[in-house]
């Protein structure tokens, strides 16, 4: 499989020809690296498989985790042993079996993060990075598989001079999920809350206002809290920034 870099949301690890699955040893192996900007620590990895099934996955030599009947295996990394920015971990997947169609098996991994939001700790999955600038003040869209009741979007003000004064957005669920958006938090790059933030939510649309304008060429975090986990179904997040000098 080689090396796969996590950059926010779900990453494809590779494909396996069912006719070429080894008869011994790991059926698929590689390394996965935290290449996410500003380096939030990855505290869990959900491995998934399409067009086939698998027995177990082992990460960094720890105990093997079995795949479920739906083709997923969630590996919780030990406290203090998560993947920090730039760190990598080896993985090995055993007992791959094709679905009988002859098509390649598709392997993927989705990172999760344990975040302190207010007085609570929540586990969320990652979304792609959102980059804004005043010259192309258009909505940015991202989509990712979610396995938890929350998502983390990293926001970068890519403008060299202008500040973000307001963030608008919406969430939608292309799959069959009935989950709804119940909470929203705007955080600094280090995870501290952005002061004086006001959030309004209505039917999946939201506005974040009230904060002191966000600095040019700086990182921020948007944490979304959902009413229920999505069990691997996709969520689409649209964000748009309003700028001022």
């Amino acid at each position: 499989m080689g090396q796969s870099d996590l950059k926010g949301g779900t990453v494809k690890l590779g494909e396996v020809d069912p006719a070429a699955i080894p008869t011994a040893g790991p059926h698929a192996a590689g390394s996965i690296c935290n290449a996410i900007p500003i380096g939030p620590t990855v505290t869990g990895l959900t491995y998934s498989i399409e067009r086939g099934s698998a027995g177990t996955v082992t990460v960094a030599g720890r105990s093997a985790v079995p795949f479920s009947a739906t083709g997923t295996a969630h590996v919780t990394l030990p406290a203090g042993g998560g993947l920090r920015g730039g760190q990598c971990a080896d993985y090995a997947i055993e007992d791959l079996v094709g679905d009988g169609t002859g098509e390649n098996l598709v392997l993927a991994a989705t990172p999760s993060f344990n975040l302190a939001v207010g007085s609570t700790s929540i586990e969320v999955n990652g979304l792609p990075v959102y980059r804004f600038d005043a010259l192309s003040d258009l909505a940015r869209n991202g989509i990712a598989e979610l396995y938890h009741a929350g998502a983390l979007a990293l926001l970068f003000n890519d403008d060299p001079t202008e500040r973000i004064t307001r963030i608008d957005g919406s969430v939608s669920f292309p799959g069959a999920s009935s989950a709804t958006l119940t909470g929203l938090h705007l955080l600094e790059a280090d995870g501290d809350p952005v002061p004086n933030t006001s959030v309004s939510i209505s039917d999946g649309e939201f506005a974040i206002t009230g904060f002191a304008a966000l600095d040019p060429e700086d990182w921020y975090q948007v944490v979304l809290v959902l009413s229920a986990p999505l069990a691997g179904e996709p969520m689409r997040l649209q964000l748009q920034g309003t700028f001022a000098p």
Side-chain angles (χ1 to χ4, degrees), residues 133-218:
D133 64 83
L135 292 178
S136 57
D137 185 18
L138 302 173
R140 304 291 195 269
N141 292 281
I143 191 168
E145 297 175 3
L146 298 189
Y147 295 87
H148 302 295
L152 169 65
L154 299 181
L155 166 63
F156 184 66
N157 183 356
D158 214 2
D159 199 276
T161 59
E162 297 205 11
R163 302 170 183 267
I164 297 174
T165 59
R166 175 187 174 106
I167 300 170
D168 292 276
S170 64
V171 297
S172 59
F173 305 96
S177 175
S178 59
T180 58
L181 178 65
T182 60
L184 196 68
H185 304 271
L186 179 62
L187 309 178
E188 305 277 3
D190 61 5
D192 289 339
V194 173
N196 303 318
T197 297
S198 177
V199 174
S200 61
I201 301 173
S202 178
D203 295 328
E205 298 185 349
F206 59 84
I208 309 174
T209 58
F211 52 84
L214 305 182
D215 289 338
E217 299 183 328
D218 209 350

Side-chain angles (χ1 to χ4, degrees), residues 15-16 21 34 50 62 85 123 211 230 233:
E15 299 189 13
V16 177
I21 293 174
N34 183 354
E50 297 180 7
R62 298 184 177 93
E123 195 166 12
F211 52 84
L230 267 64
E233 294 183 22

